[in-house]
Amino acid sequence: MLIQSSNPLNGSALIFPALECIHIVGFALSIGTIAILDFRLLGLGLKRQSVAELAKDLAPWTLAGLAIMLLSGPAMFSSDPDMYYLNISFQIKMVLLLLAIVFNYTIHRRVTLKGALPQQSKLVACVSLALWMGVMAGGLFIGFVGDAIPR
Amino acid sequence: MSPLSFAQWIQSTGFFTDLRGSAYVYPIILTIHLMGIALFGGMILLVDVRLLGLGMRRYSVSDLVNQLRPLKWIGFIVMIICGLLMAGCKAEEYYYNTFFWTKMSLLALVGVHALVFHRGVYSNTAALDAALTMPGQAKLAAALSLLLWTGLVIAGRGIGYIEPPLDKIHAHLFANPGSLPRVL
């Protein structure tokens, strides 16, 4: 409550939608580049370059996008922490986000930089895509939970 | 058939009535729409930063543009299909939504952008790669593309913030046939 009432973010009706737009650009950059890499693992897209090369070249863009998301996200959270904290979709999203980030910088990173058997690579790509799709769905459903869908 | 009566008709069809009535289908379509944005937007950004010389410089423009083309089309078609489904659900409401028309105008400008720069930039990548410095036209295309797509994200998000009061509009139209109320 304390954060909420004194939070300058709640001072203007335009700040929250602006943060949402920044958040969308952030995930287009981060999840977009991760997806490009996953599609490469699945044999689609930038095939002239090796997976490792592509992974190295995309890494700074992924990180920049993640930074944008992880700055705009908590700012949005701070506008109404009680609501988010109790929102089942938000809770699921946070678990998936943690899993997705850890997966991205451990197994996914290892497979893209060092290589793996084709089947393993494809499995890793699918898991990565599924985790990030889950994160997006979780984020989007925050606004729909409690309305028509029970908490 | 006027655009308004078309909008009223399309959202009253059984398909879109069912879609609107479901608690889960609409957010799921919106989620897939956003996945299209992540995939498509990510690729647009990469090509644009390459054209502007800000990144991805180990790749030739030809490699990026040509190899990403099929994935871009997949992302674009997914976005358009989901967009049409969502627009159909709330067609009459969107008819009165300024952000919706802003977004449609920006989409039309994306089409114009593609037409204008197709010959000189996007199907001319071999010449861009051979040039010593990136031609101004290519940089202009990239800068405008970034602006247009950022504008599309903003307008798209804005659509959800406007809820035209359809019952008030209907009451106004019933009392004053032929005169549209000022919305917004």
Side-chain angles (χ1 to χ4, degrees):
Chain A
M1 287 303 271
L2 198 66
I3 322 178
Q4 212 174 329
S5 51
S6 58
N7 193 331
L9 291 184
N10 293 325
S12 159
L14 281 177
I15 293 182
F16 193 84
L19 282 172
E20 283 182 313
C21 292
I22 294 170
H23 203 62
I24 294 174
V25 171
F27 80 62
L29 199 50
S30 57
I31 303 184
T33 48
I34 292 170
I36 291 171
L37 198 50
D38 288 335
F39 280 113
R40 174 65 182 83
L41 288 174
L42 292 170
L44 296 163
L46 294 162
K47 286 169 83 170
R48 286 255 304 260
Q49 288 73 25
S50 74
V51 176
E53 270 179 330
L54 188 61
K56 268 188 217 136
D57 292 334
L58 291 180
W61 299 98
T62 308
L63 195 62
L66 275 175
I68 295 172
M69 281 205 300
L70 293 179
L71 289 172
S72 54
M76 289 194 285
F77 171 83
S78 75
S79 71
D80 193 1
D82 296 356
M83 184 281 283
Y84 283 104
Y85 189 74
L86 296 170
N87 189 299
I88 179 72
S89 193
F90 176 77
Q91 296 164 356
I92 294 172
K93 177 181 174 171
M94 286 304 109
V95 173
L96 288 176
L97 180 64
L98 187 65
L99 288 175
I101 292 177
V102 169
F103 186 77
N104 194 63
Y105 285 104
T106 53
I107 300 171
H108 192 261
R109 185 183 167 87
R110 191 186 166 79
V111 165
T112 51
L113 291 180
K114 302 222 169 115
L117 296 171
Q119 264 90 356
Q120 286 172 337
S121 298
K122 285 184 176 153
L123 179 65
V124 163
C126 290
V127 171
S128 167
L129 283 172
L131 279 172
W132 288 109
M133 279 158 69
V135 170
M136 272 198 270
L140 201 121
F141 268 86
I142 292 172
F144 289 87
V145 166
D147 216 15
I149 302 165
R151 284 181 197 279
Chain B
M1 195 183 250
S2 71
L4 178 58
S5 50
F6 175 75
Q8 287 166 335
W9 168 76
I10 191 96
Q11 78 161 26
S12 68
T13 54
F15 176 70
F16 282 119
T17 308
D18 291 347
L19 222 59
R20 191 167 51 246
S22 162
Y24 295 93
V25 173
Y26 190 83
I28 288 173
I29 296 173
L30 191 50
T31 303
I32 300 171
H33 190 65
L34 283 177
M35 286 168 189
I37 292 175
L39 182 57
F40 188 77
M43 286 185 286
I44 296 264
L45 280 167
L46 284 188
V47 172
D48 288 342
V49 296
R50 176 64 183 84
L51 288 175
L52 287 170
L54 298 173
M56 301 301 284
R57 293 168 91 161
R58 282 213 282 161
Y59 298 76
S60 66
V61 179
S62 308
D63 268 1
L64 277 183
V65 170
N66 296 330
Q67 292 189 81
L68 289 180
R69 190 168 282 141
L71 280 181
K72 257 190 188 174
W73 273 109
I74 295 173
F76 188 68
I77 290 169
V78 167
M79 276 199 299
I80 293 288
I81 291 175
C82 294
L84 286 174
L85 288 174
M86 289 189 292
C89 281
K90 299 183 176 174
E92 191 189 359
E93 204 183 302
Y94 286 172
Y95 178 85
Y96 296 110
N97 192 316
T98 310
F99 278 117
F100 176 77
W101 290 111
T102 309
K103 183 166 184 178
M104 292 306 110
S105 313
L106 286 172
L107 273 178
L109 286 179
V110 166
V112 172
H113 178 278
L115 282 177
V116 169
F117 293 110
H118 181 75
R119 184 196 279 256
V121 180
Y122 298 100
S123 64
N124 193 33
T125 52
L128 296 182
D129 287 324
L132 285 175
T133 53
M134 190 60 72
Q137 195 195 9
K139 287 186 174 176
L140 180 66
L144 287 176
S145 155
L146 284 176
L147 269 180
L148 278 173
W149 286 99
T150 314
L152 274 166
V153 166
I154 294 170
R157 189 61 200 93
I159 292 174
Y161 275 93
I162 297 182
E163 277 181 28
L166 279 187
D167 38 350
K168 282 186 190 159
I169 294 169
H170 288 161
H172 176 96
L173 285 176
F174 186 73
N176 319 276
S179 82
L180 274 186
R182 272 190 61 82
V183 189
L184 283 175

